[in-house]
Amino acid sequence: MNSSPEDRRSVRVGLAYDERMCLHATPDGESHPENPERIRAIWRKLEAEGIPDRCILLKIKEAEDAIIASVHTRNHIKLIRNISSKEFDSRRLRIASKLNSIYFNEGSSKAAYLAAGTVIEATENVANGNLDSAIAVVRPPGHHAEANEAMGFCLFNNVAIAASYLLNERAELGIRRILIVDWDVHHGNGTQNMFYSDPRVLYFSVHRFDFGSFYPAGSDGSHCMIGEDQGVGYNINVPWEHGQCGDADYLAVWDHILIPVAEAYNPDIILISAGFDAAMGDPLGGCCVTPYGYSVMLKRLMKFSDGKIVLALEGGYNLNSLANSVFACAITLLEGSPIVGNFEGRPFESTWRVINEVRNELKTYWPVFSIDLPEEILIANVKRYPIQAGINSSSDSDVEKDLENSNAINFSSNNDVGDLILPLSKLKVDDGDFGELSPLRSQQNQPAPSEAYENPKEVTTETCNDLFHWRSSLSKVDVWYGSYGSNMWKPRFLCYIEGGKVEGMRKPCRGAMDKTPPKDISWKSVPHRLFFARSYTDTWGHGGVAFLNPQSSINDKSYMRIYRITLEQFNDLLIQENVTTEHFESPLVDSRDIEFLVKSSFMSVESIKGGWYSNILYLGEQDGIPILTMTCSVSDVEKFKSGELPVCAPPKAYENTLLKGLLEGTELSSEEAIGYLKDAAARNL
C-alpha cells in the first residue's frame, strides 16, 4: 500500500457501483441475507480506504434486452422487465413463491438491469484495453439464474451475459477464450448450463457440494459434469465434501487444478464470479477463506490474459468479511500483490481426494492432469475433518424432474459460523403460481425468508453422533440387494456405491458414504412382473424405467442380479434411488424392519413416501442373508393400469444398459435377453 503516484496512475482499475441497485429489497421489509446493505457495506469500506480515488469510476447504464437475450429467453426477460410494474402488484408475491429462493419488489427490475449492465460495461472496458481490470459491485447476484428462470437470489446471470456479449457481439475485440472462475461457495448452475457445450468458455467452479445436498443441490455441481459435445472438458467442478474449507484448501486447488489448466487454456480475459460466502463467518457458506486467501487467489490469476480480469460480485452475507474481502481484492489489483498476511494449516484429507478425482476425470482432455500428484504431498499436507456431516443424496437416476426437491439442511461443526448452514432453497416467500416455470426448480411449501433465516433448527454434535451411530451399527449387517433394472450391469451399480456415471447416463450419482465394493454377486429369478413406466428421468432422458410389480404371481418371472452389501449401503442406495436430499438422523430401513419384512413381504418407507422406489420387497434368503429390493407401491401399479400414470418403453441408452447387465450373467443368450426386455415393455399390466 506504499506505491508511488506514478504506479497508481499506471494501473487502470475500474470500479462500478450504483446506489439504485439497493432498490431491490424484500417486499415486506423482512430481514434477508441478500439485502441492500451488502453492497453499501462494501462501498463504505472502499471509500474509507480511499479506493474510489485510486480507481476509474464507471458510468452505469442498464443492459439492453437484445444483449440479455443471448443467454436468457424472451419469457424470462419479459418477466424481469415487468415484475416491478404496477400491473404485477397483486401477483408479485405469488410469482416469487413459484421460484426457488427469490423475492421481488417495485425496485427489482431496475436493479437487475443495472447489475447486468454494470458487468457488461466493466467487461467491455477491460476487453478493449481502456482498463487493466475492474470490480463490479452489483446486486442482485447472477450465477444461479438459468436461461428461463430466476433462482438462488439471482435474476439475470450477469457474468454469463457479459461473456456472451464479448464472444458474440464484440468479436472485433479479439476475445476468443474466456475463463470464468466461480469461487462463490455455491455452485453456479446457471452459468454452467449456459456454456456447457461451448469451448470458448472454460467454466471453473469450486464450491461446497456435500455429496449433492448443498444448495443448489442435485448433481450439476459434481466433478463428473465436464461439458458435452464440443464443450466437453471445458467445465470443471471442484466439489467440497463438507464445510470448513479455508485458504489452504482453495490454494491447493489453485496449484493443482486451476493454474495448470489456465496455462494450457491461455484465456484472453478472466471473469470472476466473485462470491464471498466461502469467507470466514459467512452465515450460509460455512467455510473459512480469509481476505488474504482471496487476495492470493486473485494474484495467482493476474499472470494470465495480460491481467485482464473482471470481478463481479455474487454472494457473501457477512457484511464485515464481505467488505474486507472485496477491499483485499481491490488492493491486489491496484498494487499488483496480495495484501499483507499469511495463512496456517493444511488442506483436509478430503481436499486431496477431490483434487485427485477432478484430475482423473479430466486428464483425457487436459494432459497436464495425467501426471499423478507426488505421494509426499498427499501424505504430508493433510488434516482430517472432525465430523463427516455430509450425507449422500439423490443421484437423479430414476426420478422425473418434477419430483426433484432441494430441502436439505447442511451443517458444519465450525462454531465460528454457527451450528446450521441453511440452503438458499429455504429462503422463500408465499405460495402462488405463474406461467411457464421449470418444474425442475420450482419449490413448494417453503418458509418465508425471516422464518428460515432467523429461526433455524439446531443441529448439535449429539445429532451428529446419533447419525453415525446407526451407520456404524448397520455397517455390520449384510443384505443382498436385488437389482432388476440398469443396476444389473455392475459398472452402473457401482455408481451408487463409488459415485460417478457410466456411458449412457446424463447425470452422475453421488455414491454411498461407505464406498466398499460388494462382497459377493449372484443371480436369481423371482415370480414378479417386470415392466417399464414413467416417461422421463434426469439420468436417461425420455422413456420409462424398470419396476417390479410388488405382488408376486407364479405366472411371472423376472431376472435379478443380487449384490451382497451392508445395510448401511442399502440405505444410501435407497436415498439415491428416491431422489431425496434430506438428512436422516435414523436409517430408512434397519434390522427391525427386516424382521417385519420377513413376515409381511413388503414395506412402504414413510419418510420417502412419494418416491418412485419407496416400497421395499423381501425376496427370501441366500446363504442365510435376506434379499431386498425396492420398487413402486401397489397403488402406483393401479395408477399405471388405469393410465393415470404413464407406462412407457425404455430409452435406448437405458435398454442397452439393461442388456449389458443381463448378458454379464449366464441366464440368457443375447436373443433371449432382447426378447425378455421387449416382452416386458410390450405386455399390458
Side-chain angles (χ1 to χ4, degrees):
M1 294 170 46
N2 297 316
S3 55
S4 66
E6 291 77 12
D7 291 333
R8 294 177 187 178
R9 285 195 298 271
S10 66
V11 179
R12 299 164 300 168
V13 178
L15 183 60
Y17 172 83
D18 193 311
E19 179 70 16
R20 291 177 294 172
M21 285 181 277
C22 295
L23 294 172
H24 175 62
T26 52
D28 47 15
E30 288 188 349
S31 61
H32 192 283
E34 206 299 284
N35 62 71
E37 283 304 306
R38 294 179 61 241
I39 59 174
R40 286 175 177 151
I42 293 171
W43 193 247
R44 286 195 298 268
K45 174 67 175 178
L46 298 181
E47 283 192 317
E49 300 289 348
I51 297 300
D53 295 335
R54 300 174 59 182
C55 295
I56 299 172
L57 301 183
L58 297 177
K59 294 181 180 179
I60 306 304
K61 60 182 180 182
E62 296 182 21
E64 299 175 6
D65 284 352
I67 296 174
I68 298 173
S70 65
V71 298
H72 287 292
T73 64
R74 291 182 180 180
N75 284 344
H76 181 65
I77 296 170
K78 183 178 179 181
L79 170 64
I80 302 304
R81 186 195 318 117
N82 296 326
I83 195 65
S84 296
S85 63
K86 288 186 177 181
E87 66 177 290
F88 279 82
D89 283 351
S90 63
R91 291 182 284 162
R92 199 173 293 129
L93 286 177
R94 297 200 307 272
I95 293 169
S97 72
K98 273 296 185 180
L99 297 167
N100 183 333
S101 307
I102 290 293
Y103 64 77
F104 293 123
N105 74 335
E106 294 84 351
S108 298
S109 297
K110 173 71 73 174
Y113 274 87
L114 284 170
T118 299
V119 179
I120 293 170
E121 186 73 13
T123 301
E124 184 175 25
N125 275 280
V126 171
N128 65 23
N130 290 337
L131 298 171
D132 297 307
S133 58
I135 301 174
V137 183
V138 298
R139 66 175 292 274
H143 70 151
H144 291 308
E146 297 278 5
N148 194 36
E149 188 170 349
M151 66 174 288
F153 309 163
C154 303
L155 305 188
F156 285 141
N157 197 314
N158 308 315
V159 167
I161 292 168
S164 181
Y165 175 68
L166 290 186
L167 293 171
N168 300 314
E169 302 296 330
R170 297 301 309 274
E172 72 276 10
L173 296 179
I175 302 297
R176 303 288 182 265
R177 295 178 303 279
I178 297 177
L179 170 61
I180 296 178
V181 175
D182 190 336
W183 69 39
D184 189 281
V185 80
H186 303 95
H187 178 245
N189 53 284
T191 312
Q192 170 174 296
N193 291 335
M194 288 169 177
F195 299 111
Y196 203 59
S197 303
D198 193 341
R200 299 176 300 170
V201 175
L202 173 59
Y203 177 70
F204 169 89
S205 177
V206 54
H207 50 271
R208 272 191 73 174
F209 187 59
D210 293 17
F211 302 95
S213 65
F214 197 75
Y215 192 89
S219 58
D220 278 0
S222 165
H223 73 282
C224 299
M225 302 298 286
I226 62 172
E228 63 185 7
D229 299 330
Q230 293 185 356
V232 66
Y234 293 92
N235 195 86
I236 301 177
N237 287 324
V238 181
W240 298 140
E241 295 180 359
H242 51 72
Q244 300 191 34
C245 293
D247 295 349
D249 303 282
Y250 279 78
L251 293 175
V253 168
W254 255 235
D255 287 341
H256 299 291
I257 297 178
L258 179 56
I259 299 304
V261 82
E263 289 174 344
Y265 186 63
N266 190 25
D268 297 315
I269 192 172
I270 298 174
L271 307 184
I272 300 179
S273 273
F276 295 95
D277 41 7
M280 180 79 74
D282 189 273
L284 295 187
C287 288
C288 304
V289 181
T290 68
Y292 175 68
Y294 283 116
S295 69
V296 173
M297 289 192 286
L298 177 58
K299 173 59 181 175
R300 293 189 183 180
L301 292 172
M302 289 170 63
K303 70 176 183 177
F304 301 105
S305 63
D306 295 324
K308 291 182 176 180
I309 293 179
V310 177
L311 283 82
L313 183 66
E314 298 284 2
Y317 309 100
N318 178 307
L319 298 186
N320 287 331
S321 64
L322 172 62
N324 289 332
S325 298
V326 175
F327 167 66
C329 290
I331 287 295
T332 303
L333 292 177
L334 285 165
E335 301 187 355
S337 59
I339 63 171
V340 176
N342 57 70
F343 62 87
E344 299 178 356
R346 296 166 293 174
F348 286 111
E349 178 184 22
S350 62
T351 294
W352 294 113
R353 179 165 58 249
V354 169
I355 287 173
N356 269 325
E357 288 175 347
V358 173
R359 289 169 61 98
N360 287 334
E361 188 74 25
L362 289 161
K363 62 186 178 183
T364 301
Y365 311 99
W366 301 99
V368 68
F369 293 150
S370 297
I371 303 172
D372 292 337
L373 295 179
E375 191 68 26
E376 57 268 22
I377 290 181
L378 303 181
I379 294 174
N381 294 287
V382 64
K383 64 179 178 180
R384 296 185 181 277
Y385 186 61
I387 300 177
Q388 291 287 346
I391 191 169
N392 306 293
S393 56
S394 155
S395 71
D396 296 335
S397 61
D398 295 321
V399 178
E400 287 179 314
K401 289 186 176 183
D402 60 359
L403 290 183
E404 181 167 296
N405 218 334
S406 304
N407 298 331
I409 293 177
N410 306 284
F411 50 91
S412 163
S413 63
N414 183 355
N415 292 328
D416 292 336
V417 296
D419 291 323
L420 178 65
I421 308 303
L422 280 170
L424 280 72
S425 61
K426 289 289 184 182
L427 303 168
K428 294 280 296 168
V429 291
D430 297 334
D431 189 29
D433 56 68
F434 179 76
E436 300 177 1
L437 299 177
S438 166
L440 173 62
R441 301 295 182 188
S442 297
Q443 300 290 310
Q444 300 281 348
N445 302 320
Q446 299 293 328
S450 60
E451 176 189 347
Y453 185 62
E454 296 177 356
N455 300 301
K457 173 186 174 184
E458 183 177 7
V459 181
T460 64
T461 302
E462 183 179 354
T463 301
C464 297
N465 292 336
D466 289 343
L467 173 65
F468 291 98
H469 173 75
W470 73 257
R471 285 188 168 275
S472 175
S473 175
L474 298 192
S475 69
K476 301 177 177 65
V477 179
D478 282 358
V479 297
W480 290 98
Y481 159 61
S483 61
Y484 52 85
S486 60
N487 287 341
M488 288 188 294
W489 188 36
K490 183 180 177 182
R492 163 64 172 126
F493 167 72
L494 290 179
C495 293
Y496 280 116
I497 302 299
E498 300 171 354
K501 62 179 181 178
V502 293
E503 181 182 359
M505 291 173 60
R506 298 155 59 98
K507 293 281 185 83
C509 297
R510 244 77 81 210
M513 188 168 288
D514 177 5
K515 300 186 184 302
T516 306
K519 299 171 184 175
D520 198 2
I521 302 174
S522 185
W523 286 87
K524 182 179 180 63
S525 61
V526 294
H528 291 264
R529 166 73 194 283
L530 176 72
F531 65 98
F532 297 98
R534 304 288 182 170
S535 58
Y536 184 90
T537 66
D538 270 353
T539 293
W540 304 104
H542 293 281
V545 290
F547 292 95
L548 279 187
N549 189 331
Q551 296 177 317
S552 63
S553 169
I554 58 173
N555 298 319
D556 291 317
K557 180 180 181 181
S558 293
Y559 296 95
M560 181 175 287
R561 193 171 200 174
I562 59 176
Y563 299 91
R564 185 175 174 180
I565 59 176
T566 69
L567 190 50
E568 179 198 6
Q569 289 175 315
F570 182 80
N571 273 271
D572 281 341
L573 179 62
L574 186 60
I575 290 170
Q576 294 178 80
E577 282 279 26
N578 285 280
V579 185
T580 175
T581 55
E582 191 69 47
H583 288 293
F584 292 98
E585 297 173 12
S586 58
L588 301 181
V589 179
D590 63 18
S591 300
R592 290 169 298 179
D593 294 318
I594 294 178
E595 294 174 8
F596 174 81
L597 280 164
V598 170
K599 298 176 182 177
S600 61
S601 298
F602 63 87
M603 176 188 79
S604 178
V605 182
E606 286 298 316
S607 51
I608 51 173
K609 193 173 183 179
W612 289 4
Y613 293 91
S614 61
N615 191 18
I616 310 303
L617 304 188
Y618 170 73
L619 301 171
E621 293 185 351
Q622 181 157 307
D623 301 327
I625 297 170
I627 304 169
L628 307 180
T629 193
M630 58 191 79
T631 187
C632 60
S633 65
V634 174
S635 62
D636 275 353
V637 172
E638 294 305 314
K639 291 177 182 178
F640 292 132
K641 289 180 179 179
S642 68
E644 183 178 346
L645 291 175
V647 175
C648 186
K652 193 64 178 176
Y654 185 72
E655 183 180 16
N656 288 341
T657 304
L658 268 64
L659 279 172
K660 289 177 182 177
L662 287 167
L663 295 177
E664 277 187 342
T666 59
E667 301 289 322
L668 301 173
S669 66
S670 177
E671 293 77 13
E672 289 171 333
I674 293 172
Y676 167 70
L677 295 178
K678 290 193 177 302
D679 176 69
R683 212 164 23 113
N684 291 329
L685 277 168

